[in-house]
């Protein structure tokens, strides 16, 4: 019997903030047949509450780090002189 290659599917989205589209993407990833599909998600920005919720069999790539990856030590919000009056 001849082995069939998996169908490669790429999902591209801005980020994984909590929202309807993001929940639909996660639902599809969880319910599509992992034996039939090789799934990859490409995020423009790796940020949002749901960014680490992808199933283990889904490959995640991203173009830029998100706000969660910025240093917690040096933060612009700590400087009152930067705020507009």
């Amino acid at each position: 019997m001849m082995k069939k290659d998996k169908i490669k599917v790429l999902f591209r989205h801005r980020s994984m903030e909590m929202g309807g589209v993001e929940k639909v993407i996660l639902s599809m990833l969880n319910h599509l047949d992992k034996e039939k599909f090789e799934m990859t998600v490409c995020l423009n920005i790796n940020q949002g509450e749901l960014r680490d919720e992808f199933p283990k069999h889904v490959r995640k790539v991203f173009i830029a780090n998100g706000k969660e990856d910025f240093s917690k030590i040096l933060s612009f919000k700590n400087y009152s002189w930067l705020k507009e009056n």
Side-chain angles (χ1 to χ4, degrees), residues 9-16 21 25 40-45 61-63:
V9 179
L10 173 67
F11 295 90
R12 174 111 189 250
H13 196 54
R14 180 187 180 279
S15 63
M16 290 302 289
V21 171
I25 290 172
T40 302
V41 173
C42 177
L43 299 176
N44 292 351
I45 306 168
V61 296
F62 54 90
I63 297 170

Side-chain angles (χ1 to χ4, degrees), residues 10-85:
L10 173 67
F11 295 90
R12 174 111 189 250
H13 196 54
R14 180 187 180 279
S15 63
M16 290 302 289
E17 317 299 348
M18 185 68 73
V21 171
E22 294 77 13
K23 289 188 175 193
V24 169
I25 290 172
L26 289 174
S27 179
M28 286 190 305
L29 295 172
N30 280 306
H31 290 94
L32 285 171
D33 185 354
K34 63 183 175 185
E35 301 302 319
K36 186 174 182 180
F37 298 102
E38 181 181 320
M39 295 172 270
T40 302
V41 173
C42 177
L43 299 176
N44 292 351
I45 306 168
N46 186 34
Q47 74 181 20
E49 298 89 344
L50 301 173
R51 74 181 186 157
D52 296 320
E53 298 299 317
F54 297 114
K56 300 273 187 236
H57 63 276
V58 175
R59 180 175 170 236
K60 179 180 89 169
V61 296
F62 54 90
I63 297 170
N65 287 328
K67 62 186 174 194
E68 291 90 347
D69 299 313
F70 294 153
S71 172
K72 305 288 189 246
I73 298 167
L74 180 60
S75 174
F76 287 120
K77 64 185 172 187
N78 293 331
Y79 297 97
S80 59
W81 55 269
L82 287 174
K83 296 178 185 173
E84 290 186 24
N85 291 330

